[in-house]
């Protein structure tokens, strides 16, 4: 059994980029969730899963639906700033109770190029904009303000150094289990 694998679910490449950096840093195999089966995952003791945030979903995470969350590290990649974002709704929506207890979770910041979005994604973002405008008029908040400030732009917040806490955590855990 191999020690650790990095799996990613990505539409536009930012999560894939983070997954590549993490896999390189740990010298671990890199797997695309869309081309990976549950059986293949059984070859690894630890799993690091990265998924892009899409409204209430985490791209590709359904591959781990039945996973207990033990020896699982999840990183999400979204446009929102992790410092001002409440991730509990999206986590509660995607992780089982067991996974919520057992999984170590990190949040990284991706990017967006509205010019490259599919029609469906553009429409979803237009709805999200309306919703954010409504919410901010009732109760000003940083999460919606940031979203509206970057709407319809090309923006890239990906930064390799932000994987450091995840890498440190994984290295410590792996050492403890040797
Ligand atoms: C339809 C749609 C919904 C999104 N929903 C969220 C969201 O709920 N929270 C967030 O932080 N980012 C959201 N984003 C931004 C993506 O998570 C961001 O672009 C991320 O970097 C995409 O990852 P990928 O390039 O690996 O696909 C959304 C983007 C689209 C197009």
């Amino acid at each position: 059994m191999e020690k650790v694998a990095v799996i990613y679910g990505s539409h536009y490449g930012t999560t894939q980029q983070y997954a590549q950096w993490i896999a390189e840093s740990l010298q671990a195999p890199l797997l695309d969730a869309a081309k990976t089966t549950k059986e293949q995952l059984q070859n690894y003791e630890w799993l690091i899963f990265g998924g892009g945030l899409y409204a209430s979903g985490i791209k590709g995470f359904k591959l781990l639906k039945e996973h207990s969350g033990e020896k699982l590290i999840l990183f999400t990649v979204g446009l929102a700033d992790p410092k001002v974002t409440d991730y509990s709704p999206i986590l509660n929506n995607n992780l089982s109770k067991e996974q919520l207890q057992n999984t170590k979770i990190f949040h990284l910041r991706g990017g967006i190029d509205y010019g490259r979005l599919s029609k469906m994604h553009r429409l979803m973002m237009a709805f999200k904009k309306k919703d954010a405008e409504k919410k901010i008029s009732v109760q000003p908040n940083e999460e919606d303000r940031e979203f509206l400030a970057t709407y319809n732009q090309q923006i890239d917040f990906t930064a390799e150094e932000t994987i450091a806490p995840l890498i440190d955590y994984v290295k410590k855990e792996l050492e403890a289990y040797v």
Side-chain angles (χ1 to χ4, degrees):
M1 188 186 255
E2 283 194 64
K3 200 101 195 157
V4 58
V6 183
I7 310 111
Y8 64 89
S10 178
H11 271 296
Y12 299 103
T14 56
T15 309
Q16 183 178 358
Q17 173 65 86
Y18 277 117
Q20 265 167 6
W21 283 328
I22 292 165
E24 278 162 21
S25 171
L26 297 170
Q27 296 186 326
L30 178 65
L31 307 171
D32 180 349
K35 298 176 188 154
T36 303
T37 63
K38 283 179 197 145
E39 291 68 38
Q40 278 171 287
L41 297 183
Q42 285 168 6
N43 295 328
Y44 305 97
E45 198 181 337
W46 285 81
L47 300 177
I48 302 173
F49 183 92
L53 296 178
Y54 283 89
S56 53
I58 302 174
K59 172 121 179 90
F61 193 69
K62 63 175 186 294
L63 184 64
L64 297 180
K65 208 171 178 335
E66 281 121 42
H67 196 286
S68 69
E70 276 170 40
K71 299 188 182 177
L72 173 64
I73 293 130
L74 167 68
F75 70 91
T76 72
V77 179
L79 192 57
D81 182 352
K83 286 192 213 90
V84 297
T85 302
D86 173 14
Y87 292 94
S88 46
I90 210 158
L91 293 175
N92 289 333
N93 198 41
N94 289 275
L95 275 67
S96 67
K97 269 196 192 139
E98 211 187 359
Q99 288 173 336
L100 286 168
Q101 274 175 3
N102 296 333
T103 309
K104 178 72 182 174
I105 304 170
F106 295 86
H107 300 291
L108 303 175
R109 208 166 185 196
I112 200 162
D113 179 355
Y114 279 78
R116 281 183 63 212
L117 294 185
S118 67
K119 267 191 191 160
M120 174 58 91
H121 282 163
R122 222 173 297 149
L123 194 64
M124 284 168 76
M125 290 314 250
F127 279 118
K128 194 170 156 71
K129 177 175 181 263
K130 277 205 177 139
D131 191 48
E133 282 169 344
K134 224 186 268 171
K135 276 199 289 169
I136 212 164
S137 68
V138 179
Q139 190 172 25
N141 67 86
E142 193 57 20
E143 194 176 336
D144 288 323
R145 196 197 62 72
E146 278 251 2
F147 170 74
L148 292 169
T150 57
Y151 184 76
N152 234 352
Q153 294 182 28
Q154 183 184 345
I155 196 131
D156 183 7
F157 296 111
T158 53
E160 187 170 2
E161 65 275 13
T162 57
I163 67 171
L166 185 153
I167 299 292
D168 287 349
Y169 175 82
V170 176
K171 283 188 173 163
K172 273 188 200 132
E173 286 296 306
L174 291 180
E175 274 165 23
Y177 273 89
V178 165

